Amino acid sequence: MSEATHPYRVLFVCLGNICRSPAAEIVCRAALQQAGLAGQVVVDSCGTASYHTGSKPDSRMIAALQRAGYSYGGHRARTLCAADGARFDLIVPQDAENYRDVCRVLAATHAAKVVPMSHWFPAGTRHGEVPDPYYGSEADFDEVVQLLAQSMDGLVADVRAAMAARAQS
Ligand code: 4NP
C-alpha cells in the first residue's frame, strides 16, 4: 500500500487513559465526522501509566461527554509502548508531564510527531495544558470536554493538510 492510501493515524495520550485521552478520542471522531474525514483517519488513545490498563473510561468523563452531546462508543485503557511511535502519524499528549513521558518512551526519531494538545487551544484560554480532572469536580470534567471541543477543529484542519501533503508526495 502506498503512503497516500494509508489511513492517517492519531494517538491521544494522557496519564491513566480513563479521562482526558479517551475524551479527546471521542471529540476528535465527532470533529472528523463533521469535517467529512470519518473513515480516513484512525484515532486511538492510551496512557503513560499502566495502573488503569483494561479499565473503561471514568464514569464521570462519560457523563460529561454525554452532557456535551457526545456518544461514548467503548474503550479499554492501554499503556503507551515504544511501537506506538512507528504506528502513528500524530501523537498528542494532554499535559506537559504526558509530553515528557511520551518523549521518554518513543525513539527520538519520532519526536516530530509529538505535539501537545495545547497547540490547538483557542486564543485566550486560561489553560496551558489539558487539566487533569481526576481529583476534580463535575465542572472540571465539563471544562476538559469544552477545551477539547474548542481545540479539535484546529487539529482536524492540520490533519487534513498533512493528509493532502502526503498525497502529493
Ligand atoms: P487521565 O486522568 O490521565 O486523564 O486518564 C487520570 C486518571 C487516573 C489518575 C490520574 C489521572 N490516577 O491517579 O489514578
Side-chain angles (χ1 to χ4, degrees), residues 3-167:
E3 265 292 294
T5 54
H6 273 299
Y8 194 87
R9 296 177 163 267
V10 181
L11 179 65
F12 294 101
V13 187
C14 62
L15 177 66
N17 193 212
I18 57 170
C19 297
R20 292 165 293 174
S21 61
E25 192 185 325
I26 287 163
V27 172
C28 187
R29 286 218 183 86
L32 287 165
Q33 179 89 38
Q34 192 79 26
L37 292 175
Q40 296 178 55
V41 181
V42 171
V43 187
D44 192 12
S45 67
C46 67
T48 57
S50 59
Y51 32 76
H52 292 288
T53 292
S55 299
K56 290 180 183 167
D58 190 300
S59 58
R60 298 166 297 170
M61 185 50 89
I62 295 173
L65 286 161
Q66 287 173 340
R67 281 195 292 280
Y70 295 97
S71 50
Y72 160 66
H75 178 77
R76 295 287 175 163
R78 75 168 181 91
T79 312
L80 178 74
C81 62
D84 287 321
R87 278 193 207 125
F88 290 90
D89 300 295
L90 177 63
I91 298 168
V92 186
Q94 301 297 291
D95 69 21
E97 184 188 1
N98 306 151
Y99 185 94
R100 284 191 298 274
D101 290 339
V102 166
C103 292
R104 257 196 289 272
V105 171
L106 303 188
T109 44
H110 299 302
K113 299 175 178 179
V114 185
V115 183
M117 191 72 223
S118 58
H119 178 77
W120 294 281
F121 282 2
T125 182
R126 67 187 181 92
H127 295 290
E129 59 184 14
V130 182
D132 183 350
Y134 190 69
Y135 294 105
S137 65
E138 191 174 280
D140 296 317
F141 281 85
D142 287 336
E143 189 173 31
V144 167
V145 176
Q146 189 184 28
L147 192 53
L148 291 171
Q150 289 170 339
S151 309
M152 213 52 85
D153 285 350
L155 183 148
V156 166
D158 284 353
V159 166
R160 188 194 287 285
M163 290 168 71
R166 193 165 73 176

